[in-house]
Amino acid sequence: MLKFFITTFGCQMNIYDSELMAGILHEQGFQQVFEPKDAGLIIINTCSVRKHAEERAFANLWDLYHLTPKTAKKPIFCVAGCTAKKMGEEIFRKYPFVDLVVSPANIYGLPKLVNTFKKTRQKQLAIKNQASYIKKNFPVIHANKIKALVTIMQGCNNYCAYCMVPYVRGAEISRPLKNIVAEVRGLVKKGYREVTLLGQNVNSYHDGKNDFTDLLKKISSLPGLLRVRFMTNHPKDMSGTLIKAIGKLDKVCGHVHLPLQSGSDRILKAMNRGYTAAHFLQLVRKLRQAKQDIAITTDIIVGFPGETKKDFQKTLSLVKQAKFDAAFVFKYSPRPGTTAAELADDVSAAEKQQRLEKINQAQQDIARKLSQSLIGQQVEVLVEDLATDGKNLFGKTAGYRTVIIDASVAPNQRPATSDQQLSLYIGQLIPVKIITAKNWTLYGKSAINRLHRSNTISSK
Ligand code: SAH
Ligand code: SF4
Ligand code: F3S
């Protein structure tokens, strides 16, 4: 039986694709292992979004090559993911020990490619676009047992000036609603309690009949599912109807990832983003009105071609105004083939670094204050597992903050609940009182013993 090892770079869509590759290979009788030296097939699922992401994946490829036998026992090496699509055959030239190059749209063919290679010892290249695979059944094997990623669409039509995704993931295409619902129903049956619906731009989901609001409503109505998340949102496509639905649907978590990219209208235009800073702030306001305590996170690029100090100040000031719960800040990285790559990359590396640090500093203050404002409050946490010490539990708030839950009771009450009893709470929503807070992690107490006695764990 062929054993395979997968390592993943990039976004959650790539994580899902790796889980899908595992599922597809497993269906064909292959076995997943978690030590590369035990594997006969090594898959590196790559990302092209920034140069650094690409370099890290190839550094890892070399490491794995050096770790494994060079003899007749050499494992089959497969480069998958976005860089496979971008570089294609060039990968065979640069890394002669690679045997298979497979783009995201060709995942379904993986077992066949492996078998053909084993028979013929001919390198296999599968990077053609093929939209039809999105309609197939996805036999995904999820790493987590409580929450699962579910891809609802592939590709992107937006062509933001800096971005590789439309080139490596192809045109946008949505999975039929009924396939997604069937997948989520199956997950609930297996005990999953939370799903994250994934797409590069979930707001423009459309399967010909249903839009994203329809999908959210349908998924939220599934019994047994406790929480629904989704990402990523594009500010230009975030409709009033969707915002209302997010506000109304209880199971839809109060967390929206809404990438800003820049606070300067001039730069937003050059990026081809299709909205202004004022529109973005308006969306933030509407989201906060629609759902109490909603967490809003964002992505920002610093040092886009032509970004002046003044442009940057606009971004910094928008960050302070919007008060994001978290911001992921990236230094602009020119990607060959994108329209921005034709512009001079004229902000120096040192200046990009400074701008990144300035935003991070401002954001840390904001995040700390927001987290501290939760001290003393009771929040609902979906318990994911025992914490690493085995004595406490950990989980996430609806706003995606991590919470470490001290599950013991007050000293004058009964002794702490045993580990075995504690694990009964995995997959449950429990009320937790927040005691202390760091920037993103909260520490709280839950009267679990009392809950345990009266068996009043909430399960919406
Ligand atoms: N589809 C999502 C995000 C895709 S990539 C969206 O539209 O928001 C994730 C993030 O990487 C982007 O939000 C952007 O901030 C960053 N990014 C993309 N291309 C980049 C580049 N060339 N240089 C630096 N950051 C980039
Ligand atoms: Fe890239 Fe823009 Fe598409 Fe997001 S919306 S994946 S940033 S092109
Ligand atoms: Fe990277 Fe591809 Fe995702 S380029 S960010 S892995 S879609």
Side-chain angles (χ1 to χ4, degrees), residues 216-435:
L216 259 193
K217 284 184 182 160
K218 182 71 198 168
I219 298 292
S220 311
S221 73
L222 298 177
L225 190 67
L226 299 179
R227 280 182 168 177
V228 184
R229 299 183 183 277
F230 53 92
M231 74 187 300
T232 296
N233 297 277
H234 196 307
K236 81 173 164 53
D237 297 319
M238 189 99 200
S239 70
T241 323
L242 177 59
I243 294 178
K244 241 189 234 155
I246 295 170
K248 279 217 177 110
L249 297 167
D250 281 349
K251 288 185 192 175
V252 170
C253 287
H255 174 208
V256 170
H257 186 66
L258 192 66
L260 165 68
Q261 312 302 0
S262 169
S264 152
D265 288 345
R266 205 177 67 82
I267 296 296
L268 284 172
K269 192 148 186 247
M271 286 176 163
N272 190 28
R273 288 291 286 176
Y275 55 87
T276 58
H279 177 75
F280 186 93
L281 278 171
Q282 178 81 358
L283 286 177
V284 168
R285 246 175 260 131
K286 281 189 185 162
L287 282 162
R288 291 199 171 123
Q289 268 164 17
K291 202 159 187 123
Q292 215 193 345
D293 297 330
I294 195 165
I296 301 177
T297 54
T298 201
D299 292 344
I300 290 167
I301 298 176
V302 292
F304 184 80
E307 186 188 72
T308 60
K309 282 203 159 64
K310 218 166 149 192
D311 291 316
F312 171 72
Q313 282 307 325
K314 287 186 177 160
T315 305
L316 189 60
S317 113
L318 202 151
V319 165
K320 289 178 183 164
Q321 239 180 307
K323 295 202 169 51
F324 297 112
D325 290 78
F328 302 91
V329 191
F330 307 105
K331 290 183 264 185
Y332 169 70
S333 164
R335 307 312 289 133
T338 61
T339 50
E342 285 158 29
L343 308 169
D345 181 14
D346 54 1
V347 180
S348 71
E351 182 67 27
K352 280 181 188 164
Q353 182 63 27
Q354 255 185 27
R355 291 182 189 181
L356 176 135
E357 283 168 15
K358 274 191 186 148
I359 297 203
N360 278 341
Q361 249 168 28
Q363 181 53 42
Q364 266 178 25
D365 276 356
I366 297 166
R368 195 177 41 249
K369 282 186 190 131
L370 285 173
S371 288
Q372 283 173 349
S373 72
L374 293 170
I375 294 174
Q377 286 196 35
Q378 182 153 296
V379 297
E380 203 172 45
V381 178
L382 179 66
V383 180
E384 289 182 20
D385 210 341
L386 295 178
T388 37
D389 64 3
K391 285 188 197 129
N392 297 324
L393 292 166
F394 89 92
K396 294 270 186 195
T397 64
Y400 210 62
R401 283 189 166 75
T402 302
V403 188
I404 309 288
I405 310 157
D406 175 355
S408 60
V409 287
N412 59 350
Q413 293 185 15
R414 298 190 332 167
T417 317
S418 76
D419 285 7
Q420 214 183 0
Q421 276 177 313
L422 273 186
S423 54
L424 292 174
Y425 293 89
I426 297 171
Q428 307 279 2
L429 280 173
I430 62 167
V432 176
K433 190 168 177 198
I434 301 306
I435 309 290

